[in-house]
Amino acid sequence: MPAPDYILKLREKIGHDPLWVPGVRGVVLDDSGRVLLARRADNGHWALVSGMLDPGEEPARGLVREIFEETAVVAEAERVVSVGTVGPFTYPNGDVCEFLDVVFRCRYVSGTARVNDDESLDVGWFSLDGLPELMPGHLTSIRRALSPEEAAHFEP
């Protein structure tokens, strides 16, 4: 996944030092209860659609943008599922990032799922009993999104 311009500009100033980045992740469900997944180009793993927010971008809007950019699916954010941290990660070039991860439950609105940019190798709808192996934490996000409990999860 290519780094946004604002991250590249920050990296010019701070080098490889740890960077705190706001991120979003979506559990997109269709009317049949299937979940939208993407096989990431950077590591080949199946995952929920996720991305980095632009400066000042509202999290729900940013996630809806990411979902469309990556899969050509129009979705609507319904509720916050959880808020937490992911990482830190050290990338092959030495950059270190830790992500504030806001997970939303989303509903499918329209569009046909397909690879829509260079961040994914494949995208598709999966039944809950036919999920591929997922990146760490993503199955937990799906379970929380399906929970009838409305409160968002966070670590106290």
Side-chain angles (χ1 to χ4, degrees):
M1 153 183 345
D5 287 339
Y6 81 94
I7 297 284
L8 297 175
K9 289 178 183 173
L10 284 170
R11 285 288 177 208
E12 289 175 6
K13 297 174 183 170
I14 68 166
H16 300 299
D17 287 351
L19 186 59
W20 180 246
V21 180
V24 287
R25 184 186 316 175
V27 180
V28 183
L29 300 166
D30 70 4
D31 292 337
S32 300
R34 299 177 302 168
V35 65
L36 180 64
L37 299 175
R39 193 160 68 93
R40 296 172 56 112
D42 61 352
N43 62 21
H45 294 130
W46 284 98
L48 296 167
V49 177
S50 61
M52 291 182 263
L53 296 174
D54 293 329
E57 187 172 32
E58 291 291 336
R61 287 187 198 134
L63 176 59
V64 167
R65 172 188 54 77
E66 287 284 346
I67 292 165
F68 182 77
E69 286 177 0
E70 294 181 24
T71 70
V73 166
V74 175
E76 179 179 274
E78 293 181 316
R79 68 177 175 93
V80 173
V81 172
S82 64
V83 178
T85 61
V86 179
F89 294 105
T90 301
Y91 292 90
N93 69 354
D95 287 353
V96 178
C97 288
E98 188 161 3
F99 296 90
L100 170 66
D101 186 40
V102 182
V103 179
F104 289 88
R105 177 181 167 135
C106 302
R107 73 174 183 85
Y108 167 82
V109 174
S110 65
T112 301
R114 62 179 168 82
V115 173
N116 204 35
D117 66 11
D118 59 355
E119 294 184 32
S120 301
L121 300 172
D122 195 6
V123 299
W125 293 100
F126 290 83
S127 65
L128 297 175
D129 60 357
L131 294 173
E133 184 175 338
L134 295 171
M135 288 183 59
H138 288 229
L139 185 56
T140 300
S141 292
I142 293 169
R143 287 185 184 136
R144 287 179 178 149
L146 295 172
S147 170
E149 191 175 299
E150 289 294 322
H153 176 82
F154 62 93
E155 294 298 324

